[in-house]
Each structure stands twice: as C-alpha cells, then as structure tokens.
Amino acid sequence: MKKILLIFTIVASTLLLAQQKPTLFLIGDSTMATKENPDKNPEHGWGQVLPQFLTNGIEIQNHAVNGRSSKSFRTEGRWDQVEKQLKKGDFVIIQFGHNDQKIKDSTKFTNPYTQYRANLERYVNEARAKGATPVLMTSIVRRNFNENGVLIDTHKEYPLVVRMVANDLKVPFVDMQLLTEQIEIAYGPENSKKLHLYYKEGEDPYYPKGKEDDTHLSKLGAETVAKLATKSLKALKIGLEKYIK
C-alpha cells in the first residue's frame, strides 16, 4: 500500500511540474519560422534554432509561418491555436512586419498606423488577459546595401509602430531591427552574404540553380539572430532570463 501511495505521489508531482512548466510561444513570419528538411535545407528561421539557447525548464512552441502578416496570422486561425493554450506564466514573442508591407496582397497588407497597430495591440491585450507576458520585436533587417556600402532600410514605418505600441502599452520590447542592422553592417556588404542564402549554381544540392536571398537566414544567420534575441530577452528581466543559458 505504501509503495502504491509513493508511486501515486511521484506521478502526481511529475504531472504538477509539467503543468507548471511555462511555454514560450513564437508568432511571426518566415524569418522566425521552422523550415522543412533542416538537415538538408540551408534556410533556417531564428525561432527554429532558439531551443539550443534555452534550458529544458521552458517549452517552446514556434507558430511562426512563412508569408504571414499580423493580419493573416489571425484570419487563418493561427492565433486561436496559441490563445487557447495560453496560461499564466507563459510568454509570447510577437514579430510581424515583413508581409504586412505587401500592398498587392489584400489578405496580408495592413496600414502601419491603423490596422497593423491595432493588430499588435490586440495580440498584446489578449496575451495579457490570459496571464501571459507579451514581448514585441521589430522585424530583422534585410541585407540591402547600396553601391556605397550603406545599409538601406526596407521596413519603413512598421518598426516605428512596434516601438510606439511597446511604449504606449508598456510592453517588453526588443529592437531586432537595430540589432540586426548592427550585425549586417559589422559583417559588411560582402561578408554578410554568409548570414543569408547565397549559393552559386551547383554549390549546394538544395539550390541546384543557385540562390540569392537577402531576406531569409542561413543557419549561421539564424543562430546569430537567436543569440542577439536571447541576450536582449535576458536583459529585460521579465522572468524569461532564468531559462536562458
């Protein structure tokens, strides 16, 4: 009888610990998303490699998907999947902007000062209503150097709006635009290709015809961005730091 009681106590304690374990949810676009065929595919999202920088004391659910904007992520029901799981003590990283710019796609485009802002505010408020801690991030930059070696911004008003929402609603904020801008500039116009997808014809079997992509990340690029993100998240002192290696 004592043995059965001991086993029951151990099982109950294990289940309780599992229930108490917080979850870090990631919502965003392709720069954050997990890519298929990771052993062969050179492209990686920074959220895909994030687990290697965190302890097993927190669960990670990467819900970021290629091509999604702050609008389409919700209209496709992807936020519903996250929201219904949210509990007190969880964290939600929110990073949109790349696809909100797509003015030729009505399913994705948002006016930065109206729809985009309202979408971000709604994600924040709904996460908080469940007892979770939202974290706003600006988009990572594209590798876009001009002929003079100057990195030119492509996101225009969208990062500014993220900063405004973070300031007005007092949301923990990480300026990934600034951090990735600094790293791109540090690498320079030519060397920064290593952070992205640059392959000549026949150089990589995954891209037999070659590839030149200044938006998406190589494994090196994803790991570099993930390191920048975790360092900043640790500095926020919002409770997530205890799970960062």
Side-chain angles (χ1 to χ4, degrees):
M1 186 67 182
K2 287 183 179 179
K3 190 175 181 181
I4 294 173
L5 185 61
L6 179 61
I7 293 170
F8 177 79
T9 304
I10 292 170
V11 171
S13 298
T14 303
L15 288 171
L16 184 62
L17 284 171
Q19 288 172 354
Q20 291 174 341
K21 193 174 183 179
T23 302
L24 171 60
F25 294 90
L26 309 178
I27 66 170
D29 54 43
S30 58
T31 58
M32 180 192 270
T34 298
K35 311 300 175 178
E36 60 182 11
N37 302 319
D39 295 332
K40 298 178 181 179
N41 188 355
E43 183 183 342
H44 289 67
W46 73 262
Q48 179 178 354
V49 302
L50 189 63
Q52 64 187 278
F53 301 103
L54 300 177
T55 71
N56 59 9
I58 189 167
E59 182 185 345
I60 301 174
Q61 287 193 26
N62 187 2
H63 288 259
V65 182
N66 291 16
R68 271 54 183 189
S69 70
S70 66
K71 177 181 181 179
S72 63
F73 192 85
R74 182 181 288 276
T75 57
E76 291 176 3
R78 297 181 185 278
W79 173 245
D80 289 340
Q81 295 174 23
V82 174
E83 188 182 15
K84 69 183 180 183
Q85 297 183 67
L86 285 177
K87 64 184 184 300
K88 187 176 181 180
D90 286 344
F91 302 88
V92 185
I93 294 178
I94 304 158
Q95 186 186 57
F96 292 103
H98 274 97
N99 301 298
D100 287 82
Q101 293 183 291
K102 294 185 175 179
I103 201 163
K104 293 183 179 180
D105 189 340
S106 63
T107 66
K108 297 176 182 178
F109 176 76
T110 59
N111 179 312
Y113 293 116
T114 54
Q115 298 173 63
Y116 182 62
R117 175 167 183 141
N119 289 343
L120 295 182
E121 290 176 342
R122 192 174 169 191
Y123 285 126
V124 165
N125 290 329
E126 289 175 354
R128 283 176 166 171
K130 287 295 193 80
T133 300
V135 179
L136 284 172
M137 289 187 175
T138 46
S139 298
I140 66 171
V141 298
R142 293 183 175 94
R143 180 190 164 277
N144 185 42
F145 289 93
N146 68 12
E147 65 277 9
N148 299 312
V150 175
L151 187 70
I152 305 300
D153 172 60
T154 64
H155 288 108
K156 300 182 180 179
E157 304 96 330
Y158 292 88
L160 173 61
V161 173
V162 180
R163 294 182 183 92
M164 292 166 66
V165 173
N167 182 67
D168 292 349
L169 298 187
K170 303 295 182 283
V171 187
F173 169 70
V174 177
D175 196 347
M176 293 304 292
Q177 181 192 28
L178 172 62
L179 296 173
T180 54
E181 184 178 277
Q182 290 171 336
I183 205 74
E184 296 278 356
I185 292 169
Y187 268 74
E190 187 61 32
N191 208 29
S192 59
K193 290 178 181 179
K194 295 177 182 177
L195 302 172
H196 298 276
L197 304 171
Y198 267 78
Y199 299 97
K200 295 176 183 176
E201 186 174 344
E203 189 177 355
D204 190 285
Y206 206 81
Y207 302 117
K209 295 182 180 180
K211 184 82 169 176
E212 290 188 7
D213 184 338
D214 293 311
T215 298
H216 300 101
L217 301 166
S218 64
K219 188 174 182 181
L220 172 65
E223 289 176 343
T224 301
V225 172
K227 285 178 185 176
L228 293 171
T230 51
K231 185 178 179 180
S232 295
L233 288 168
K234 192 172 186 178
L236 289 176
K237 303 291 185 187
I238 56 174
L240 194 54
E241 62 275 3
K242 69 181 80 170
Y243 308 109
I244 297 173
K245 292 180 182 177

Coordinates of all heavy atoms in Angstrom, one line a residue, residues 106-176:
S106 N -4.2 41.7 -50.5 CA -5.2 42.3 -49.5 C -5.4 41.3 -48.3 O -5.8 41.8 -47.3 CB -6.6 42.4 -50.2 OG -7.0 41.2 -50.7
T107 N -4.9 40.1 -48.5 CA -5.1 39.1 -47.3 C -4.0 39.4 -46.3 O -4.1 38.9 -45.2 CB -5.0 37.7 -47.8 OG1 -3.7 37.4 -48.3 CG2 -6.1 37.4 -48.9
K108 N -2.9 40.1 -46.7 CA -1.8 40.3 -45.8 C -1.5 41.8 -45.5 O -1.1 42.1 -44.4 CB -0.5 39.7 -46.4 CG -0.6 38.2 -46.6 CD 0.6 37.6 -47.4 CE 0.4 36.1 -47.6 NZ 1.6 35.5 -48.3
F109 N -1.7 42.7 -46.4 CA -1.3 44.1 -46.2 C -2.1 44.7 -45.0 O -3.3 44.5 -44.9 CB -1.6 44.9 -47.5 CG -1.3 46.3 -47.3 CD1 0.0 46.8 -47.3 CD2 -2.4 47.2 -47.1 CE1 0.3 48.2 -47.0 CE2 -2.1 48.6 -46.9 CZ -0.8 49.1 -46.9
T110 N -1.4 45.5 -44.3 CA -2.0 46.3 -43.3 C -1.4 47.7 -43.3 O -0.2 47.9 -43.5 CB -1.8 45.8 -41.8 OG1 -0.4 45.7 -41.6 CG2 -2.4 44.4 -41.7
N111 N -2.3 48.7 -43.1 CA -1.8 50.1 -43.0 C -1.0 50.2 -41.6 O -1.6 49.8 -40.6 CB -3.0 51.1 -42.9 CG -2.6 52.5 -42.7 OD1 -1.8 52.8 -41.9 ND2 -3.2 53.4 -43.5
P112 N 0.2 50.6 -41.7 CA 1.0 50.5 -40.4 C 0.4 51.3 -39.2 O 0.5 50.8 -38.1 CB 2.4 51.1 -40.9 CG 2.1 51.9 -42.1 CD 1.0 51.2 -42.8
Y113 N -0.2 52.4 -39.5 CA -0.6 53.3 -38.4 C -2.1 52.9 -37.9 O -2.5 53.4 -36.9 CB -0.6 54.8 -38.8 CG 0.8 55.3 -39.0 CD1 1.2 55.7 -40.2 CD2 1.7 55.3 -37.9 CE1 2.5 56.1 -40.4 CE2 3.0 55.8 -38.1 CZ 3.4 56.2 -39.4 OH 4.7 56.6 -39.5
T114 N -2.8 52.1 -38.7 CA -4.1 51.7 -38.2 C -4.3 50.2 -38.0 O -4.2 49.8 -36.9 CB -5.1 52.2 -39.3 OG1 -4.8 51.7 -40.6 CG2 -5.2 53.7 -39.4
Q115 N -4.4 49.4 -39.1 CA -4.6 48.0 -38.9 C -3.4 47.3 -38.2 O -3.6 46.5 -37.3 CB -4.8 47.4 -40.3 CG -6.0 47.8 -41.1 CD -6.0 47.2 -42.5 OE1 -6.1 46.0 -42.6 NE2 -5.9 48.1 -43.5
Y116 N -2.2 47.6 -38.6 CA -1.0 47.0 -38.1 C -0.9 47.3 -36.6 O -0.7 46.4 -35.8 CB 0.2 47.4 -38.8 CG 1.5 46.8 -38.3 CD1 1.7 45.4 -38.4 CD2 2.5 47.6 -37.8 CE1 2.9 44.9 -38.0 CE2 3.8 47.1 -37.4 CZ 3.9 45.7 -37.5 OH 5.1 45.1 -37.1
R117 N -1.1 48.5 -36.3 CA -1.0 48.9 -34.9 C -2.1 48.2 -34.0 O -1.9 47.7 -33.0 CB -1.1 50.4 -34.7 CG -1.2 50.8 -33.2 CD -1.0 52.3 -33.0 NE -1.0 52.5 -31.5 CZ -0.3 53.3 -30.9 NH1 0.6 54.0 -31.5 NH2 -0.4 53.4 -29.6
A118 N -3.3 48.2 -34.6 CA -4.5 47.6 -33.9 C -4.2 46.1 -33.7 O -4.6 45.6 -32.6 CB -5.8 47.9 -34.6
N119 N -3.7 45.5 -34.7 CA -3.4 44.0 -34.6 C -2.4 43.8 -33.5 O -2.6 42.8 -32.7 CB -2.9 43.5 -35.9 CG -3.9 43.4 -37.0 OD1 -5.1 43.5 -36.7 ND2 -3.5 43.3 -38.2
L120 N -1.3 44.5 -33.4 CA -0.3 44.4 -32.4 C -0.9 44.6 -31.0 O -0.7 43.8 -30.1 CB 0.9 45.3 -32.6 CG 1.7 45.1 -33.8 CD1 2.9 46.1 -33.8 CD2 2.3 43.7 -33.9
E121 N -1.7 45.6 -30.9 CA -2.3 45.9 -29.6 C -3.3 44.8 -29.1 O -3.3 44.4 -28.0 CB -3.1 47.2 -29.7 CG -2.2 48.5 -29.8 CD -3.0 49.7 -30.0 OE1 -4.2 49.6 -30.3 OE2 -2.5 50.8 -29.7
R122 N -4.0 44.2 -30.1 CA -4.9 43.1 -29.8 C -4.1 41.9 -29.3 O -4.5 41.2 -28.4 CB -5.8 42.8 -31.0 CG -6.9 41.9 -30.7 CD -7.8 41.8 -31.9 NE -8.8 40.7 -31.7 CZ -9.6 40.3 -32.7 NH1 -9.5 40.8 -33.9 NH2 -10.5 39.3 -32.4
Y123 N -3.0 41.5 -30.0 CA -2.2 40.4 -29.6 C -1.7 40.6 -28.1 O -1.8 39.7 -27.3 CB -1.0 40.2 -30.5 CG -1.3 39.6 -31.9 CD1 -0.9 40.3 -33.0 CD2 -2.0 38.4 -32.0 CE1 -1.2 39.7 -34.3 CE2 -2.3 37.8 -33.2 CZ -1.9 38.5 -34.4 OH -2.2 37.9 -35.6
V124 N -1.2 41.8 -27.9 CA -0.7 42.1 -26.5 C -1.8 42.0 -25.5 O -1.6 41.3 -24.5 CB -0.1 43.6 -26.5 CG1 0.1 44.1 -25.1 CG2 1.2 43.6 -27.3
N125 N -2.9 42.6 -25.7 CA -4.0 42.6 -24.7 C -4.6 41.2 -24.5 O -4.9 40.9 -23.4 CB -5.1 43.6 -25.2 CG -4.7 45.1 -25.1 OD1 -3.9 45.4 -24.2 ND2 -5.2 45.9 -26.0
E126 N -4.7 40.5 -25.6 CA -5.3 39.1 -25.4 C -4.3 38.2 -24.7 O -4.7 37.3 -23.9 CB -5.7 38.6 -26.8 CG -6.9 39.3 -27.3 CD -7.3 38.9 -28.7 OE1 -6.5 38.1 -29.4 OE2 -8.3 39.3 -29.2
A127 N -3.0 38.4 -24.9 CA -2.0 37.6 -24.2 C -2.0 37.9 -22.7 O -2.0 37.0 -21.9 CB -0.6 37.8 -24.8
R128 N -2.1 39.2 -22.4 CA -2.1 39.6 -21.1 C -3.4 39.1 -20.3 O -3.4 38.8 -19.2 CB -2.1 41.2 -21.0 CG -0.7 41.7 -21.2 CD -0.6 43.2 -21.3 NE 0.7 43.7 -21.2 CZ 1.1 45.0 -21.4 NH1 0.1 45.9 -21.7 NH2 2.3 45.4 -21.2
A129 N -4.5 39.1 -21.1 CA -5.8 38.6 -20.5 C -5.7 37.2 -20.0 O -6.4 36.8 -19.1 CB -6.9 38.8 -21.5
K130 N -4.8 36.4 -20.6 CA -4.6 35.0 -20.2 C -3.5 34.9 -19.2 O -3.2 33.8 -18.8 CB -4.2 34.2 -21.5 CG -5.4 34.0 -22.4 CD -6.4 33.1 -21.8 CE -7.5 32.6 -22.7 NZ -7.0 31.4 -23.5
G131 N -2.9 36.0 -18.8 CA -1.9 36.0 -17.7 C -0.5 35.7 -18.3 O 0.5 35.5 -17.6
A132 N -0.4 35.8 -19.6 CA 0.9 35.6 -20.3 C 1.6 36.9 -20.5 O 1.0 38.0 -20.4 CB 0.8 34.9 -21.7
T133 N 2.9 36.9 -20.7 CA 3.7 38.1 -20.9 C 4.1 38.2 -22.4 O 4.8 37.4 -22.9 CB 5.1 38.1 -20.1 OG1 4.8 37.9 -18.7 CG2 5.9 39.3 -20.3
P134 N 3.5 39.3 -23.0 CA 3.9 39.5 -24.4 C 5.2 40.3 -24.6 O 5.6 41.1 -23.7 CB 2.7 40.4 -24.9 CG 2.3 41.1 -23.7 CD 2.5 40.3 -22.5
V135 N 5.9 40.0 -25.6 CA 7.2 40.7 -25.9 C 7.1 41.1 -27.4 O 6.9 40.3 -28.3 CB 8.4 39.8 -25.8 CG1 9.7 40.5 -26.1 CG2 8.5 39.3 -24.3
L136 N 7.2 42.4 -27.7 CA 7.2 42.9 -29.0 C 8.6 43.0 -29.6 O 9.5 43.5 -28.9 CB 6.5 44.3 -29.1 CG 5.0 44.3 -28.9 CD1 4.5 45.7 -28.8 CD2 4.3 43.6 -30.2
M137 N 8.7 42.6 -30.8 CA 10.0 42.7 -31.5 C 9.8 43.4 -32.9 O 8.8 43.1 -33.6 CB 10.6 41.3 -31.7 CG 11.2 40.7 -30.5 SD 12.1 39.2 -30.9 CE 12.7 38.7 -29.3
T138 N 10.7 44.2 -33.3 CA 10.7 44.7 -34.6 C 11.3 43.7 -35.6 O 11.9 42.7 -35.1 CB 11.6 46.0 -34.7 OG1 12.9 45.8 -34.1 CG2 10.9 47.2 -34.1
S139 N 11.0 43.8 -36.8 CA 11.5 42.8 -37.8 C 13.0 42.9 -38.0 O 13.6 44.0 -37.7 CB 10.9 43.2 -39.2 OG 9.5 43.1 -39.2
I140 N 13.6 41.8 -38.3 CA 15.0 41.8 -38.6 C 15.2 42.5 -40.0 O 14.3 42.4 -40.8 CB 15.6 40.4 -38.6 CG1 15.1 39.5 -39.8 CG2 15.4 39.7 -37.3 CD1 15.8 38.2 -40.0
V141 N 16.4 43.1 -40.2 CA 16.6 43.8 -41.4 C 16.9 42.9 -42.6 O 17.3 41.7 -42.4 CB 17.7 44.8 -41.3 CG1 17.4 45.9 -40.3 CG2 19.1 44.1 -41.0
R142 N 16.7 43.4 -43.8 CA 17.1 42.7 -45.0 C 18.5 43.2 -45.3 O 18.9 44.3 -45.0 CB 16.2 43.0 -46.2 CG 14.8 42.5 -46.0 CD 14.0 42.8 -47.3 NE 12.6 42.2 -47.2 CZ 11.5 42.8 -46.8 NH1 11.6 44.0 -46.3 NH2 10.4 42.2 -46.7
R143 N 19.3 42.3 -45.9 CA 20.6 42.7 -46.4 C 20.4 43.5 -47.7 O 20.2 43.0 -48.8 CB 21.4 41.4 -46.7 CG 22.9 41.7 -47.2 CD 23.6 40.5 -47.7 NE 24.7 40.9 -48.5 CZ 24.7 41.3 -49.8 NH1 23.5 41.3 -50.4 NH2 25.8 41.7 -50.4
N144 N 20.5 44.8 -47.5 CA 20.2 45.7 -48.6 C 21.2 46.9 -48.6 O 20.8 48.0 -48.3 CB 18.7 46.3 -48.4 CG 18.3 47.1 -49.6 OD1 18.5 46.8 -50.7 ND2 17.6 48.2 -49.3
F145 N 22.4 46.6 -49.1 CA 23.4 47.6 -49.2 C 23.4 48.3 -50.5 O 23.2 47.6 -51.6 CB 24.8 46.9 -49.0 CG 25.1 46.4 -47.6 CD1 24.8 45.1 -47.3 CD2 25.7 47.3 -46.7 CE1 25.1 44.7 -46.0 CE2 26.0 46.8 -45.4 CZ 25.7 45.5 -45.0
N146 N 23.6 49.6 -50.5 CA 23.6 50.3 -51.8 C 25.0 50.3 -52.4 O 25.9 49.7 -51.8 CB 23.1 51.7 -51.7 CG 24.0 52.6 -50.8 OD1 25.1 52.3 -50.5 ND2 23.4 53.8 -50.5
E147 N 25.2 51.0 -53.5 CA 26.6 50.9 -54.2 C 27.7 51.5 -53.3 O 28.9 51.3 -53.6 CB 26.5 51.6 -55.5 CG 26.2 53.1 -55.5 CD 24.7 53.4 -55.4 OE1 23.9 52.5 -55.1 OE2 24.3 54.6 -55.5
N148 N 27.3 52.3 -52.3 CA 28.3 52.9 -51.4 C 28.5 52.2 -50.1 O 29.2 52.6 -49.2 CB 27.8 54.4 -51.1 CG 27.7 55.2 -52.3 OD1 28.6 55.3 -53.2 ND2 26.5 55.9 -52.4
G149 N 27.9 51.0 -50.0 CA 28.1 50.1 -48.9 C 27.2 50.6 -47.7 O 27.5 50.2 -46.5
V150 N 26.2 51.4 -47.9 CA 25.3 51.8 -46.9 C 24.1 50.9 -46.8 O 23.5 50.6 -47.8 CB 24.8 53.3 -47.1 CG1 23.8 53.7 -46.1 CG2 26.0 54.2 -47.1
L151 N 23.8 50.4 -45.6 CA 22.6 49.5 -45.4 C 21.3 50.3 -45.5 O 21.2 51.2 -44.6 CB 22.7 48.7 -44.1 CG 21.7 47.6 -43.9 CD1 21.9 46.5 -44.9 CD2 21.7 47.1 -42.5
I152 N 20.5 50.1 -46.4 CA 19.2 50.8 -46.6 C 18.0 50.1 -46.0 O 17.8 48.9 -46.3 CB 19.0 51.1 -48.1 CG1 20.2 51.8 -48.7 CG2 17.7 52.0 -48.2 CD1 20.5 53.1 -48.1
D153 N 17.3 50.8 -45.2 CA 16.1 50.2 -44.5 C 15.0 49.9 -45.5 O 14.8 50.6 -46.5 CB 15.5 51.2 -43.5 CG 14.2 50.7 -42.9 OD1 14.2 49.6 -42.3 OD2 13.2 51.4 -43.1
T154 N 14.3 48.8 -45.3 CA 13.2 48.4 -46.3 C 11.8 48.4 -45.6 O 10.8 48.2 -46.2 CB 13.5 47.0 -46.9 OG1 13.5 46.0 -45.9 CG2 14.8 47.0 -47.6
H155 N 11.8 48.5 -44.2 CA 10.6 48.3 -43.5 C 9.8 49.6 -43.2 O 8.7 49.5 -42.7 CB 10.9 47.5 -42.2 CG 11.2 46.1 -42.4 ND1 12.5 45.6 -42.2 CD2 10.5 45.1 -42.8 CE1 12.5 44.3 -42.5 NE2 11.3 44.0 -42.9
K156 N 10.4 50.7 -43.5 CA 9.7 52.0 -43.4 C 9.0 52.2 -42.0 O 9.6 52.1 -41.0 CB 8.7 52.2 -44.5 CG 9.5 52.1 -45.9 CD 8.5 52.3 -47.0 CE 9.3 52.2 -48.4 NZ 8.4 52.4 -49.5
E157 N 7.7 52.4 -42.0 CA 7.0 52.8 -40.8 C 6.7 51.7 -39.8 O 6.5 51.9 -38.6 CB 5.6 53.5 -41.1 CG 5.7 54.7 -42.1 CD 5.4 54.2 -43.5 OE1 5.7 53.1 -43.9 OE2 4.9 55.1 -44.3
Y158 N 6.8 50.5 -40.3 CA 6.4 49.3 -39.4 C 7.2 49.2 -38.1 O 6.6 49.0 -37.1 CB 6.4 48.0 -40.3 CG 5.3 48.0 -41.3 CD1 5.5 48.6 -42.6 CD2 4.0 47.6 -41.0 CE1 4.5 48.6 -43.6 CE2 3.0 47.6 -42.0 CZ 3.3 48.1 -43.3 OH 2.3 48.2 -44.2
P159 N 8.5 49.2 -38.2 CA 9.2 49.1 -36.9 C 8.9 50.3 -35.9 O 8.9 50.1 -34.7 CB 10.7 49.2 -37.3 CG 10.7 48.7 -38.7 CD 9.4 49.2 -39.3
L160 N 8.7 51.5 -36.5 CA 8.3 52.6 -35.7 C 7.0 52.4 -34.9 O 6.9 52.7 -33.7 CB 8.2 53.9 -36.5 CG 7.7 55.1 -35.8 CD1 8.7 55.6 -34.7 CD2 7.5 56.3 -36.8
V161 N 6.1 51.8 -35.6 CA 4.8 51.5 -34.9 C 5.0 50.5 -33.8 O 4.3 50.6 -32.8 CB 3.8 51.0 -36.0 CG1 2.5 50.5 -35.3 CG2 3.5 52.1 -37.0
V162 N 5.8 49.5 -34.0 CA 6.1 48.5 -33.0 C 6.6 49.2 -31.7 O 6.2 49.0 -30.6 CB 7.1 47.4 -33.4 CG1 7.3 46.4 -32.3 CG2 6.6 46.7 -34.6
R163 N 7.6 50.1 -31.9 CA 8.1 50.9 -30.8 C 7.0 51.7 -30.1 O 7.0 51.9 -28.9 CB 9.2 51.9 -31.4 CG 10.4 51.1 -31.9 CD 11.5 52.2 -32.3 NE 12.7 51.5 -32.9 CZ 12.8 51.3 -34.2 NH1 11.9 51.6 -35.1 NH2 13.9 50.6 -34.7
M164 N 6.2 52.3 -30.9 CA 5.1 53.1 -30.3 C 4.1 52.3 -29.5 O 3.8 52.7 -28.4 CB 4.3 53.8 -31.5 CG 5.1 54.9 -32.2 SD 4.3 55.4 -33.8 CE 2.8 56.2 -33.2
V165 N 3.8 51.1 -30.0 CA 2.9 50.3 -29.2 C 3.5 49.8 -27.9 O 2.9 49.8 -26.9 CB 2.4 49.0 -30.1 CG1 1.6 48.0 -29.2 CG2 1.6 49.5 -31.2
A166 N 4.8 49.4 -28.1 CA 5.6 49.0 -26.9 C 5.6 50.0 -25.8 O 5.5 49.8 -24.6 CB 7.0 48.5 -27.3
N167 N 5.8 51.3 -26.3 CA 5.9 52.4 -25.4 C 4.6 52.7 -24.7 O 4.5 52.9 -23.5 CB 6.5 53.6 -26.1 CG 6.7 54.8 -25.2 OD1 7.5 54.8 -24.3 ND2 5.9 55.9 -25.4
D168 N 3.6 52.8 -25.5 CA 2.2 53.2 -25.1 C 1.6 52.2 -24.1 O 0.9 52.5 -23.2 CB 1.3 53.5 -26.2 CG 1.7 54.7 -27.0 OD1 2.6 55.5 -26.5 OD2 1.2 54.9 -28.1
L169 N 1.8 50.9 -24.4 CA 1.2 49.8 -23.6 C 2.2 49.2 -22.6 O 1.8 48.2 -21.9 CB 0.6 48.7 -24.6 CG -0.5 49.1 -25.5 CD1 -1.0 47.9 -26.2 CD2 -1.6 49.8 -24.8
K170 N 3.4 49.8 -22.6 CA 4.4 49.3 -21.6 C 4.7 47.8 -21.8 O 4.6 47.0 -20.8 CB 3.9 49.6 -20.2 CG 3.6 51.1 -19.9 CD 4.9 51.9 -20.0 CE 4.7 53.4 -19.7 NZ 4.0 54.1 -20.8
V171 N 5.0 47.5 -23.0 CA 5.2 46.1 -23.4 C 6.7 45.8 -23.4 O 7.4 46.7 -24.0 CB 4.6 45.7 -24.8 CG1 4.8 44.2 -25.1 CG2 3.2 46.1 -24.8
P172 N 7.3 44.7 -22.9 CA 8.7 44.4 -23.1 C 9.0 44.4 -24.5 O 8.2 43.9 -25.4 CB 8.8 43.0 -22.5 CG 7.7 43.0 -21.4 CD 6.6 43.8 -22.0
F173 N 10.1 45.0 -24.9 CA 10.4 45.3 -26.3 C 11.9 45.0 -26.6 O 12.8 45.3 -25.9 CB 10.1 46.8 -26.6 CG 10.7 47.3 -27.9 CD1 10.1 46.9 -29.1 CD2 11.7 48.2 -27.9 CE1 10.5 47.4 -30.3 CE2 12.2 48.7 -29.1 CZ 11.6 48.3 -30.3
V174 N 12.1 44.3 -27.8 CA 13.4 44.1 -28.3 C 13.5 44.6 -29.7 O 12.7 44.2 -30.6 CB 13.7 42.6 -28.3 CG1 15.1 42.3 -28.9 CG2 13.7 42.0 -26.9
D175 N 14.5 45.5 -29.9 CA 14.6 46.2 -31.2 C 15.5 45.3 -32.1 O 16.7 45.6 -32.3 CB 15.2 47.6 -31.0 CG 15.0 48.4 -32.2 OD1 14.7 47.9 -33.3 OD2 15.3 49.7 -32.1
M176 N 14.9 44.3 -32.7 CA 15.7 43.4 -33.6 C 16.1 44.1 -34.9 O 17.1 43.8 -35.5 CB 14.9 42.2 -33.9 CG 14.6 41.3 -32.7 SD 16.2 40.7 -31.9 CE 16.9 39.6 -33.2

